[in-house]
Amino acid sequence: YSEGQIGWIPYILARADRVWEHNRGWSDSRDLVPEPPSTYYYRQIYGCFFRDRHGIESLDQVGVDNITFETDYPHTDSTWPDTKKVAEELMAGVPQEAVDKIMRANAIRMLSLSL
């Protein structure tokens, strides 16, 4: 998900899993969706952000392996020309291993780049 930030993801995952669990007894979802929706998110989906303090504070639920930092240049709501400063402020206090994933490694993996 691009340009959508990440702070909303924990709520959607919790809600989707609850609806999935609640409806399994009477719908045909048991065969169509055998695992909780959050399982598919953590395995297959990436979100990105450029200014989302709430999302960073929710990394455990958002999934440090499922997000990337975006610059969104040249859009008017991007962080340019202060992108580096914004990124450093957002990553302050985040463990270096997580920073490496968010700022580089996740994008490399998502795009199957050979770097």
Side-chain angles (χ1 to χ4, degrees):
Y1 296 107
S2 65
E3 300 182 14
Q5 306 302 330
I6 58 173
W8 56 273
I9 292 173
Y11 168 76
I12 294 298
L13 294 178
R15 177 73 179 137
D17 283 356
R18 174 69 181 112
V19 169
W20 175 85
E21 182 64 37
H22 179 73
N23 292 335
R24 288 177 61 73
W26 58 270
S27 73
D28 293 330
S29 66
R30 196 175 300 266
D31 294 329
L32 296 173
V33 184
E35 300 175 75
S38 62
T39 303
Y40 301 98
Y41 165 79
Y42 290 115
R43 190 171 56 220
Q44 298 169 215
I45 296 175
Y46 294 85
C48 58
F49 69 98
F50 55 89
R51 190 172 281 165
D52 187 348
R53 171 62 51 200
H54 177 73
I56 294 302
E57 291 170 356
S58 303
L59 274 181
D60 289 345
Q61 296 166 313
V62 173
V64 73
D65 293 320
N66 298 84
I67 59 170
T68 62
F69 181 76
E70 67 176 296
T71 61
D72 208 26
Y73 177 83
H75 293 138
T76 56
D77 77 350
S78 76
T79 56
W80 185 88
D82 302 311
T83 303
K84 183 177 180 191
K85 179 180 180 238
V86 169
E88 289 171 344
E89 290 171 355
L90 283 170
M91 295 295 105
V94 175
Q96 188 61 48
E97 181 181 351
V99 172
D100 293 344
K101 288 180 178 186
I102 293 166
M103 294 296 171
R104 179 178 164 87
N106 290 345
I108 291 170
R109 183 170 38 89
M110 175 180 64
L111 300 170
S112 301
L113 300 176
S114 59
L115 299 175

